[in-house]
Amino acid sequence: MITAQGLTRVFRTRSGPVEAVSGVDLTVEDGEVVGFLGPNGAGKTTTVRMLCTLLKPTSGTATVAGHDVVRQRAEVRRRIGYVGQSGSGGEHRAGDELRTQAMLQGLDRAAATARAAELAEQFDLGELLERPCSKLSGGQRRRLDLALGLVHRPGLLFLDEPTAGLDPQARANLWDHLRTLRAEQGTTIFLTTHYLDEADALCDRILVIDGGRIVASDTSDALKNQIGGDVIILESDQIGDITAVATRVLPDCRPDSTVGSVHLHCADAQRRLPELLRALHEAGVELTSIAVKRPTLEDAFLRLTGRSLREEGRGAAPAEQAPQPDQAATGDAPAEPIHSEVAS
Ligand SMILES: Nc1ncnc2c1ncn2[C@@H]1O[C@H](COP(=O)(O)OP(=O)(O)OP(=O)(O)O)[C@@H](O)[C@H]1O
């Protein structure tokens, strides 16, 4: 469904070129649900925008749904849905948004009304069709966004952080809709997320990108198993001291530190913990909590990227790399809408 070889994107900025994506190779099979993870600024959005034909690659090639993302943009757009982060808003009623989107996709009024009703049923929007989008809850809006992205029955759906900012119940509800979509219609789903539990729960495979390069591509279980052994998690304000003591006392256990905690990867953590705790006590380190557990996807992510997804802020890109408008220079402006949200 998706192939990319050597996909690269360099942005020209006032402070010089920024290589956002550096030779990405990837494949996604028909019907797969793939999670695309990476720290802030890793290159996720840029990659997705190239695959969705919203941004031209500087070099490399990609095909999506059998068509080249540069030479056959319109063909690609007809076959994909893209649901971005911004969400549908405004005073238009939800039902009108769906009907308008269906008419933009070429349906006549009667067919558009029928398609809107079908999607409303699929995504539990029936009661909400007369309501202005601005009056929908976060979860309802995301369901409407999904429905809008699916108006033209694409076989492939790109989702950019589909549950960002939703409460746990609304997230679980959206996960159910995505599972049903895949089970009943075989839709291929490529999603970015900052929630590792979401990737764990929904995705057949996880791609990790860091510094513009793919650093892992595997199932969640395989990524966890790569860590091996147990993880000792020590929380404290004295991260540097813990790392120093652990390196001395347990030289074969690799420490990864994150904000406020050190994760030690050990073969037999239970047996070795007393020795470590004794040494930490003698060094005057005060711990706020200790836990021993099996590796999680968070541990795998930390190992791969040296950073925790949880400590990633949702803020702006680093100042020296702040995105500059460069569409005029590259001709990247969308030629044809994929979905009303991205057409503006
Ligand atoms: N239009 C642009 N002009 C210049 N630099 C850009 C542009 N868009 C992105 N970048 C830079 O490219 C790098 C990758 O950005 P990208 O948005 O693809 O990362 P991301 O993984 O999606 O990050 P996040 O998780 O924060 O959304 C960053 O350093 C970013 O500042």
Side-chain angles (χ1 to χ4, degrees), residues 96-125:
D96 292 339
E97 287 275 297
L98 278 173
R99 269 186 299 276
T100 305
Q101 185 62 27
M103 289 170 75
L104 278 175
Q105 298 292 344
L107 273 59
D108 63 27
R109 185 168 292 279
T113 302
R115 180 68 181 137
E118 194 180 1
L119 286 162
E121 163 136 20
Q122 188 180 345
F123 291 99
D124 296 333
L125 293 165

Side-chain angles (χ1 to χ4, degrees), residues 1-324:
M1 185 58 95
I2 305 178
T3 63
Q5 275 113 30
L7 208 58
T8 298
R9 175 66 200 215
V10 179
F11 290 109
R12 290 186 298 276
T13 70
R14 277 182 228 117
S15 49
V18 173
E19 191 165 271
V21 173
S22 312
V24 158
D25 296 333
L26 62 85
T27 57
V28 174
E29 303 297 334
D30 284 10
E32 250 193 316
V33 178
V34 172
F36 195 38
L37 310 183
N40 282 141
K44 300 181 293 296
T45 304
T46 306
T47 304
V48 169
R49 287 173 62 78
M50 287 192 282
L51 295 175
C52 289
T53 76
L54 294 170
L55 199 59
K56 275 188 190 161
T58 307
S59 62
T61 57
T63 63
V64 170
H67 295 275
D68 186 278
V69 295
V70 177
R71 287 182 284 106
Q72 298 171 297
R73 289 209 298 192
E75 295 294 333
V76 171
R77 290 179 182 205
R78 264 198 280 283
R79 289 166 175 78
I80 65 172
Y82 172 81
V83 180
Q85 286 179 34
S86 51
S88 44
E91 292 310 310
H92 296 295
R93 288 179 301 182
D96 292 339
E97 287 275 297
L98 278 173
R99 269 186 299 276
T100 305
Q101 185 62 27
M103 289 170 75
L104 278 175
Q105 298 292 344
L107 273 59
D108 63 27
R109 185 168 292 279
T113 302
R115 180 68 181 137
E118 194 180 1
L119 286 162
E121 163 136 20
Q122 188 180 345
F123 291 99
D124 296 333
L125 293 165
E127 308 289 304
L128 308 168
L129 291 180
E130 297 305 315
R131 199 176 291 182
C133 295
S134 60
K135 299 283 189 296
L136 299 177
S137 72
Q140 292 165 344
R141 255 158 78 147
R142 295 311 281 168
R143 295 209 304 277
L144 176 62
D145 290 336
L146 261 186
L148 287 167
L150 290 166
V151 160
H152 56 305
R153 304 178 200 274
L156 168 62
L157 189 61
F158 288 93
L159 300 173
D160 197 3
E161 301 205 24
T163 64
L166 296 188
D167 62 49
Q169 200 184 349
R171 287 178 72 207
N173 178 282
L174 207 86
W175 290 1
D176 283 344
H177 281 292
L178 292 175
R179 288 193 184 105
T180 306
L181 185 66
R182 193 278 258 297
E184 292 183 356
Q185 294 174 32
T187 308
T188 308
I189 299 175
F190 190 87
L191 65 95
T192 70
T193 180
H194 275 83
Y195 301 119
L196 288 166
D197 60 336
E198 179 158 290
D200 215 355
L202 281 182
C203 299
D204 303 317
R205 190 156 56 90
I206 289 169
L207 287 173
V208 182
I209 186 168
D210 192 22
R213 295 176 193 281
I214 302 288
V215 295
S217 163
D218 223 326
T219 62
S220 174
D221 283 345
L223 291 175
K224 290 178 210 165
N225 288 339
Q226 280 171 18
I227 299 278
D230 303 310
V231 187
I232 302 174
I233 300 170
L234 304 164
E235 291 189 343
S236 168
D237 293 335
Q238 296 164 268
I239 300 303
D241 295 336
I242 296 180
T243 305
V245 171
T247 308
R248 176 168 53 79
V249 179
L250 306 177
D252 54 318
C253 299
R254 220 177 48 84
D256 283 323
S257 50
T258 168
V259 176
S261 69
V262 175
H263 295 223
L264 281 168
H265 304 276
C266 291
D268 50 357
Q270 301 282 1
R271 194 176 60 75
R272 310 192 66 188
L273 192 57
E275 183 189 0
L276 174 66
L277 293 182
R278 227 178 357 259
L280 287 170
H281 179 69
E282 283 165 13
V285 175
E286 292 201 12
L287 297 172
T288 49
S289 84
I290 307 161
V292 177
K293 60 179 183 63
R294 302 292 300 159
T296 61
L297 197 53
E298 174 74 20
D299 296 305
F301 188 85
L302 195 55
R303 167 75 62 91
L304 286 163
T305 68
R307 281 181 278 174
S308 158
L309 262 195
R310 278 178 310 178
E311 72 196 47
E312 297 293 332
R314 304 279 307 109
E320 71 277 14
Q321 297 182 345
Q324 310 288 326

